[in-house]
Amino acid sequence: MSRKPNSATARLKQDYLRLKRDPVPYITAEPLPSNILEWHYVVCGPEKSSYEGGYYHGKLVFPREFPFKPPSIYMITPNGRFKTNKKLCLSISDFHPDTWNPAWSVSTILTGLLSFMLEKSPTLGSIETTDYDKRQFAYQSLEFNLKDKYFCDLFPDIVAQMQAEVAERNANQNLNFENQKNLQTVEQPSSFQSCITNLCVIIGFAAFAFTVKYVMKTTASEAE
């Protein structure tokens, strides 16, 4: 019985080294320092997808019998594709031990997860949302993840990148706010000047009408 956890540990260490040598595109993964059977991952939303600009944190929980039994897969960050903190029903997860292949590695699992995330196929643990909703989740994912202790402890490089993006976003929002404020300040005198101009035009027309009326009345009097 003692060989199983040792076997899982040895295999996961091998997978970790392999993952560092040959990273999975758009995904970073790290095991907990205190428990190699629990890995956390971050999916960086691929370009030209509904997830672009988002960071999606989740975890893999491996059984002591790994690689002979598959892991549980969870998504933690709200994303518009999967329910959060619920086991995902995938062919590479413990929902389908009959389809599991012991030759599959952590890299294989993460690649399969990303592939399914980009699809629209429903499964247990998935949800249906619009592309607009997914883009909103992508926008909100940065600040959501920065509040997660595991995320910040395990992925300091990504945290630094996200903090820079949030700071840039806030600076742009402040700049836009100042521009709108300045524009409104410029528009207010313009509106006042427009009212004065219109008033002058009205007075001018009234004076012209009075003059015409006076001339016609004088001419009529002289004719008599």
Side-chain angles (χ1 to χ4, degrees), residues 203-221:
I203 293 173
F205 273 115
F208 176 75
F210 177 80
T211 302
V212 171
K213 184 177 180 180
Y214 176 78
V215 171
M216 290 179 65
K217 184 176 180 181
T218 303
T219 302
S221 297

Side-chain angles (χ1 to χ4, degrees), residues 8-107:
T9 299
R11 172 59 182 275
L12 288 170
K13 287 181 177 179
Q14 291 178 0
D15 283 1
Y16 182 74
L17 294 175
R18 188 181 300 117
L19 190 62
K20 289 300 181 182
R21 290 194 303 266
D22 188 16
V24 175
Y26 303 107
I27 301 182
T28 302
E30 294 287 340
L32 289 182
S34 59
N35 181 13
I36 198 172
L37 296 178
E38 182 175 326
W39 288 48
H40 288 244
Y41 64 84
V42 181
V43 176
C44 297
E47 300 85 356
K48 298 181 180 180
S49 74
S50 301
Y51 308 100
E52 183 175 1
Y55 295 84
Y56 304 94
H57 173 209
K59 66 180 180 180
L60 310 175
V61 180
F62 294 91
R64 293 183 176 276
E65 294 80 10
F66 182 81
F68 304 104
K69 290 185 178 181
S72 302
I73 304 176
Y74 300 83
M75 183 68 76
I76 297 172
T77 306
N79 54 88
R81 173 64 168 131
F82 300 119
K83 295 179 181 179
T84 57
N85 298 304
K86 300 289 185 182
K87 283 187 178 183
L88 303 182
C89 179
L90 306 175
S91 60
I92 52 175
S93 74
D94 57 357
F95 267 93
H96 295 284
D98 52 318
T99 62
W100 172 253
N101 186 337
W104 289 345
S105 64
V106 174
S107 296

Side-chain angles (χ1 to χ4, degrees), residues 149-163:
K149 184 178 184 302
Y150 282 122
F151 186 96
C152 294
D153 289 346
L154 292 172
F155 308 104
D157 292 342
I158 296 178
V159 167
Q161 180 178 344
M162 289 169 53
Q163 287 174 333

